[in-house]
Structure formats: C-alpha cells, structure tokens
C-alpha cells in the first residue's frame, strides 16, 4: 500500500528583476515527477548536485509549495492543504536534514530541542515528556547526560543522532532523509546508516533517502530513483543495480563509485561536462548535451519513462531502440 504518491509534481522558482520586480525567468527545479513510495519501503533518490532531488523531497513533505501536481500522503491529498489543515499530518511525516551543524538551534539544549517538538505536536502528555526524552536519547545511541548539553559540545555524528531523535520524537510513519550522512566521515556514515536501518525495522518506518552516492543507496535502500535536471530518468530495484542499470546517466553515476582494484576499469563510463542551467532547459532529452549515445531524435523529443523489466523503468531513446 502506498504511503506517498506524487503525480506530475512541478516546482519552479521565479526570478524577478527590474524596478517593478517582475518575473524575468524561472528555475525549473522539478519537472513533472511521478513517484510512489510503499509503506515500510526505503526508496533512494539519487543525482548530482543541482539535479533537484532535495527540492523534490521538500515539496513532497510540503516544506516547499508545489507549483503544480498532486501529492497524496496516507491516502489524503495534501498538495493544496493550508498550513492549519496540514499540521495534524506533519506529525506523521518528518525530515532528517543534511547539515547536522545548521539544523539544531545552538542556543537550545538537547532537552529543549526535543521538548519543543513533543510539545508542539502534543505527542505525549506533559508529565511524560521527560521520560520520552530519555527514551529517544537511548534509542539513537547517546548517553542520558547529553540532554543538558548544547549542540556545540557534540561531534557531527552525535549532532545527527540528535536530529534523528527529534524526527522520531512524534512517532512518524514516513521520514525524508535528505543526505543525512554526506557531511560525515565514512566510519561515522556507516554507524548512522546501521542506526537508521535498525530504527526502520524496530519502528516500521518508511524512508525516502536522498543521496548523491549510489553505493550508499545500493547498500541501504530497496529501490532507487535516479534524477537528472528535475526529471526521473530511471527507477529500479537496488538488488539489480550493478547488472541492470541502463540509462547512460545512471551508468556514469555507477562508474564514478571508487573501486577496490584500480586496474578494474572495464566499461566504466566517465560523465563529462556540467549539468545544464535549470533556468534554460535543453530541448528534447535533458541529458542529450552530455550523452555519448545522443542522436538527432534526442535533441527534439524528451523520452517518457517506459517499462523494460519488472520494477524497472527507463527514459531513454537509445535504450528503447536497443542502442543502450
């Protein structure tokens, strides 16, 4: 059963200029995305910096307003809800932010950070707040004495654990994890990924996990959606990633993963050039300006996502025509 379903989601940011502040252009951050996340699932959303993945995530949980499209959470259309209407649902959808340094108020102790979340959503009776804080601190692997400390007294990994505790404080069903480990050392990343995996099993959580690292997603997620310039270009199961990935952009992302043996470089595709400006999108396929398989058709027609296997969809003319 789908806990989150998005259809035709668009997010454009107007650029204003001149004395009157009129709109002169738009940043086309997200361009007609469809997505389904089933209850209990962990879906990865992957792409280069600037491809729109964090913007899409924030639109899906209504931290940003969609320009167009519909978003259903737990069977309820939330895309046009007012803040007051949305507030009861916010308790069931939470976010873990990328920056463990900037996402916590430096003037608040851990106790105050967690108390604020619990009281705002009225998640537990007032007399049970203190006990719930102890439970959350233990749940994320911290010691009880941290509750009276401030964010500057912790390492990056510990701060992210506090951010996870805050997200869990209101008993959510769905968590948007926006690159939650990218700012941390590799050894700390592994610890936090294991923590998130344990919490998923223990609390029956559903994750949308945003990352630029396909290797992390392959290890952590059930399915992956690969995004380029505001479009989903491929989706498939993580079990099939190494053998089944077909889109040229997906292959390049996979080829960019560091390898154990430097002599093992067969069939590794290198991605050249930069992502085009989202202000002035290329015509046709958004990837054709960097694609080694691009032909004239690619410059004119934007390919639709087509089914090429069970749970596997690709938006690529070359794959449709048997060239990729």
């Amino acid at each position: 059963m789908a806990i989150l379903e998005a259809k035709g989601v668009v997010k454009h940011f107007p650029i204003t200029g001149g004395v009157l502040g009129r709109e002169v252009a738009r940043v086309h951050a997200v361009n007609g995305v469809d997505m389904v996340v089933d209850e209990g699932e962990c879906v990865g959303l992957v792409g280069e910096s600037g491809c729109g993945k964090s913007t899409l995530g924030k639109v899906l949980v209504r931290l940003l307003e969609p320009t167009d499209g519909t978003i259903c959470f737990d069977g309820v259309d939330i895309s046009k809800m007012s803040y007051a209407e949305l507030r009861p649902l916010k308790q069931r959808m939470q976010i873990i932010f990328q920056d463990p340094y900037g996402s916590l108020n430096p003037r608040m102790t851990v106790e105050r950070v967690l108390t604020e979340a619990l009281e705002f959503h009225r998640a537990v009776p007032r007399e049970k707040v203190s006990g719930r804080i102890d439970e959350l601190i233990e749940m994320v692997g911290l010691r009880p004495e941290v509750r009276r400390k401030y964010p500057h007294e912790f390492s990056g990994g510990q701060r992210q654990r506090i951010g996870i505790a805050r997200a869990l404080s209101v008993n959510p069903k769905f968590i948007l994890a926006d690159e939650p480990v990218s700012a941390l050392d590799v050894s700390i990343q592994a610890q936090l990924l294991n923590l998130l995996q344990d919490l998923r099993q223990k609390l029956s959580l559903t994750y949308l996990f945003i990352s630029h690292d396909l290797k992390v997603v392959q290890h952590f997620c059930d399915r992956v959606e690969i995004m380029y310039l505001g479009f989903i270009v491929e989706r498939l199961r993580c079990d099939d990633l190494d053998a089944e990935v077909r889109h040229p952009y997906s292959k390049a992302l996979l080829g960019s993963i560091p390898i154990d043996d430097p002599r093992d470089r067969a069939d590794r595709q290198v991605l050249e050039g930069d992502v085009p400006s989202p202000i002035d999108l290329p015509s046709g396929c958004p990837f054709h300006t960097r694609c080694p398989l691009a032909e004239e058709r690619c410059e004119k027609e934007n390919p639709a996502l087509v089914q090429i296997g069970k749970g596997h969809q690709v938006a690529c003319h070359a794959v449709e025509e048997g060239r990729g």
Side-chain angles (χ1 to χ4, degrees), residues 118-257:
L118 290 165
E119 290 183 344
F120 180 81
H121 288 285
R122 299 171 186 170
V124 295
R126 184 164 295 179
E127 64 273 13
K128 294 185 178 181
V129 167
S130 182
R132 178 60 173 161
I133 290 172
D134 287 335
E135 181 184 350
L136 289 164
I137 289 171
E138 180 183 358
M139 194 181 294
V140 297
L142 294 173
R143 299 188 178 196
E145 56 265 28
V146 305
R147 64 185 293 158
R148 291 181 176 83
K149 292 185 178 182
Y150 291 86
H152 73 270
E153 299 180 74
F154 299 102
S155 67
Q158 289 172 322
R159 291 184 200 189
Q160 196 61 293
R161 287 174 187 267
I162 297 165
I164 294 170
R166 179 176 58 187
L168 295 175
S169 63
V170 293
N171 298 311
K173 295 178 66 175
F174 174 84
I175 290 182
L176 169 65
D178 187 5
E179 302 213 42
V181 298
S182 63
L184 305 173
D185 293 337
V186 174
S187 60
I188 306 301
Q189 287 185 13
Q191 293 174 21
L192 283 178
L193 288 173
N194 289 335
L195 172 64
L196 289 171
Q197 193 73 275
D198 291 343
L199 291 169
R200 176 190 172 193
Q201 300 299 326
K202 181 179 178 180
L203 304 175
S204 301
L205 296 172
T206 303
Y207 291 132
L208 177 59
F209 186 88
I210 297 174
S211 179
H212 62 271
D213 190 334
L214 259 179
K215 197 68 176 177
V216 169
V217 167
Q218 186 177 21
H219 164 74
F220 185 71
C221 299
D222 302 315
R223 290 192 296 112
V224 60
E225 310 242 346
I226 298 170
M227 194 169 188
Y228 183 78
L229 210 60
F231 298 89
I232 300 296
V233 297
E234 186 163 13
R235 53 169 58 108
L236 71 162
R237 292 198 60 79
C238 289
D239 294 342
D240 305 329
L241 201 55
D242 287 319
E244 300 297 331
V245 69
R246 298 289 298 280
H247 196 283
Y249 177 63
S250 307
K251 289 182 178 180
L253 288 180
L254 200 60
S256 69
I257 297 172

Side-chain angles (χ1 to χ4, degrees), residues 76-95:
V76 179
D77 186 349
I78 65 169
S79 46
K80 295 179 175 62
M81 278 187 172
S82 67
Y83 179 80
E85 292 172 325
L86 192 60
R87 182 174 169 177
L89 287 173
K90 283 284 188 179
Q91 185 172 339
R92 289 187 272 162
M93 59 171 91
Q94 289 293 302
I95 181 168

